[in-house]
Every structure is written in structure tokens, then in C-alpha cells.
Amino acid sequence: MLEIKNISKSFGGLMALRDISLDVAERQIYGLIGPNGAGKTTLFNLITGYYPATEGAIRFFGQEITGLRAHKIARLGIARTFQNIRLFGTMTVKENIQVAQNIHARSGVSSLFQMYSARERRLRQEADELMNRLGLWEKRDEQSPSLSYGEQRRLEIARALALKPKLLLLDEPAAGMNEAESADLLERIRELRETGITVLLIEHDMKVVMGICDRIAVLSFGELITQGTPEEIQANDAVIDAYLGREDD
Ligand SMILES: Nc1ncnc2c1ncn2[C@@H]1O[C@H](COP(=O)(O)OP(=O)(O)OP(=O)(O)O)[C@@H](O)[C@H]1O
Ligand SMILES: [Mg+2]
């Protein structure tokens, strides 16, 4: 569904990504790992149209999306969360989700012709489902800054899902979570796949990555070192040298 072909990105003199190619298939959970500064978030920014690529092409279901504006790409069905949580501060959990739903709903031509109340009812039901799915039901009327870090991360995922994406990009969703929270998150990401969503996941927590991903790509200093199944990655010497051997993360 997502095809990344010979993508490079330079910021001034710095090559943040060099000739990256990878394919994500539908319903895969695809992991992206690598040391700090490897270019993982930059790749997300290119896929979602935050920056243009310097070279190469990105296709989504065969359609070239390189060079499209971010909102166009979101509308095609790619949603993301951010490494640094970006929620709407003065809103409740429910409101955060409703704002995202409205952004999405406004883009549909058919919504103009729908009965207002029926549409409202459907959206409210979907928001309730999302809050349940991400374990936020009890917190629905709380302001987002009063949530725990793990809850805020789950709310960001719920908000991204309100856009009804086919592909969800998660940038370090387990960062700052304790072991129980990240195990819980892992289970919820697995459940997402059951609903037909494809996930591209940046994550430093190796337990999460190895436990959940079908395939993993390893970046280091902007280059794709290797890609493969979790077993292949764990057995790869170059990966162990570049990444898995590190103790400081
Ligand atoms: N907007 C930008 N302008 C200039 N340099 C940038 C920009 N964004 C990223 N970089 C640089 O590109 C390189 C890759 O950064 P990126 O954030 O993609 O790494 P990362 O793999 O996500 O790292 P981390 O694990 O720390 O989040 C870094 O050297 C970074 O400083
Ligand atoms: Mg990053």
C-alpha cells in the first residue's frame, strides 16, 4: 500500500535520509528502528507531506503522493501521531476527538446532504467507540493536560484514528510509558490491525517492536541498513552494532 522509492532528504548540507526504499503491505505492522538522529521522524515527515523529499517518490495505493500538501495526504488516508505529543490543551478528551472528526467530515461532499442529527449521532457514536478502544472512556470529560503521559499518547492515537486512516504512523507511542502501559498499548495496536488498519511504527522499546511487528526496517545515519522479520533483525550483526547493543535507551 505504501511504496517508498529511493527517497533522499537533505537539510542544507546534512543528508538526513539517503536513498531509502521500502514497501509496506496492507495490514502489516511495520517497525522503523534506529539510533537517535537516524532519520526516522524525517521519513514520517516526508510521507505525511510536512517536508518535500529532495529525491525519490512515495506512492500510496499506487498514487504518487510526493509533493502533495499535508492535508491532501491526510485526506487520502494517512494519519500520524507526533514524537512530542500535540494535543489541544484546553479541551477534554472527547473534544480532542470531535475536532479531528469534524476536520475529516468537512472534507466529505456527501456530508452536506446528510441529515444533520443523524450525522451528529453517528459521529458521537464513533467518538465513544474510539474512547473505549483506547481505554479513555472513564477520562472522556477530563482536560487533556490532566491525563497521565500514557493516556495522552493514547488520546493522540484516538485522535489520529478519528480521521479514519488506512495507514497510521506512530512516532514512539510507548515513549515515557511504564511496562504495564506499553504492554497494554501493544495489545491495542494489535487490535487496530484487526480492523484493517496498517501501522508504521517508530519505537525504541525493543520489547514492543519485536513483539508486535511483522517486518522491521533499520535506519542508521540516514541509511537503510537492513529490513526483515523480527527474527532476522535480531540475528543481524550490523543491527546489533548500530543499535541493539546500545544500553542507553
Ligand atoms: N527540520 C529540520 N531541519 C534541519 N535538520 C533536521 C530537521 N529535521 C531533522 N533534522 C536532522 O535530520 C536528522 C534526522 O532527524 P530525525 O528527527 O529524523 O531523527 P530520528 O531518527 O527521528 O531521531 P530520534 O530517535 O532522536 O527521534 C538529525 O540530524 C536532525 O537533526
Ligand atoms: Mg524521531
Side-chain angles (χ1 to χ4, degrees), residues 11 14 16 35-42 51 83 172 204:
F11 294 108
L14 176 91
N36 297 116
K40 305 179 298 293
T41 298
T42 300
Y51 313 130
Q83 188 167 354
E172 303 197 24
H204 281 295

Side-chain angles (χ1 to χ4, degrees), residues 85-89 96 144 147 151-153 155-156 159:
I85 297 173
R86 297 189 193 178
L87 291 166
F88 307 125
N96 263 280
S144 52
L147 301 179
E151 288 163 348
Q152 291 189 26
R153 289 219 171 263
L155 175 54
E156 246 209 331
R159 199 181 55 175

Side-chain angles (χ1 to χ4, degrees), residues 7-28:
I7 278 289
S8 296
K9 177 66 183 173
S10 58
F11 294 108
L14 176 91
M15 277 298 250
L17 291 172
R18 192 188 300 269
D19 198 23
I20 305 295
S21 295
L22 51 92
D23 284 326
V24 181
E26 248 184 304
R27 281 174 173 253
Q28 262 181 346

Side-chain angles (χ1 to χ4, degrees), residues 7-238:
I7 278 289
S8 296
K9 177 66 183 173
S10 58
F11 294 108
L14 176 91
M15 277 298 250
L17 291 172
R18 192 188 300 269
D19 198 23
I20 305 295
S21 295
L22 51 92
D23 284 326
V24 181
E26 248 184 304
R27 281 174 173 253
Q28 262 181 346
I29 299 180
Y30 201 113
L32 198 54
I33 67 173
N36 297 116
K40 305 179 298 293
T41 298
T42 300
L43 190 59
F44 272 22
N45 286 333
L46 296 181
I47 295 167
T48 52
Y50 280 65
Y51 313 130
T54 307
E55 272 178 72
I58 303 176
R59 282 187 279 273
F60 185 54
F61 288 109
Q63 179 182 352
E64 172 98 41
I65 58 170
T66 338
L68 291 185
R69 305 273 299 277
H71 70 274
K72 281 252 171 73
I73 293 173
R75 213 170 278 174
L76 290 174
I78 301 179
R80 73 178 296 182
T81 63
F82 292 90
Q83 188 167 354
N84 306 307
I85 297 173
R86 297 189 193 178
L87 291 166
F88 307 125
T90 54
M91 288 186 197
T92 65
V93 166
K94 196 193 289 173
E95 288 163 351
N96 263 280
I97 292 172
Q98 285 168 339
V99 168
Q101 283 182 316
N102 283 317
I103 292 168
H104 178 78
R106 221 178 290 147
S107 69
V109 180
S110 66
S111 66
L112 284 174
F113 304 104
Q114 278 169 0
M115 288 281 291
Y116 178 75
S117 60
R119 174 175 164 268
E120 283 294 296
R121 203 179 315 125
R122 181 175 51 78
L123 288 180
R124 217 173 306 140
Q125 198 179 336
E126 284 171 4
D128 289 355
E129 268 169 36
L130 279 177
M131 288 186 284
N132 270 313
R133 215 196 292 165
L134 274 303
L136 294 165
W137 178 250
E138 255 86 72
K139 305 279 174 171
R140 62 192 177 280
D141 293 318
E142 291 194 22
Q143 303 273 318
S144 52
S146 72
L147 301 179
S148 74
Y149 201 64
E151 288 163 348
Q152 291 189 26
R153 289 219 171 263
R154 294 209 303 275
L155 175 54
E156 246 209 331
I157 296 173
R159 199 181 55 175
L161 289 172
L163 300 171
K164 302 204 174 165
K166 300 183 190 87
L167 173 66
L168 178 64
L169 310 184
L170 300 174
D171 198 343
E172 303 197 24
M177 287 188 176
N178 63 36
E179 200 148 325
E181 281 178 319
S182 70
D184 171 73
L185 180 74
L186 199 134
E187 204 38 59
R188 291 179 201 276
I189 295 174
R190 268 204 200 97
E191 286 167 15
L192 282 184
R193 187 230 310 260
E194 302 308 310
T195 69
I197 290 176
T198 306
V199 178
L200 185 54
L201 172 74
I202 298 174
E203 187 51 65
H204 281 295
D205 185 330
M206 283 304 124
K207 230 185 235 170
V208 172
V209 171
M210 297 301 170
I212 202 179
C213 294
D214 304 303
R215 277 189 85 73
I216 295 170
V218 187
L219 291 179
S220 183
F221 294 107
E223 303 207 18
L224 184 68
I225 307 180
T226 185
Q227 49 181 316
T229 63
E231 295 71 31
E232 288 164 350
I233 297 301
Q234 272 168 307
N236 185 307
D237 286 342

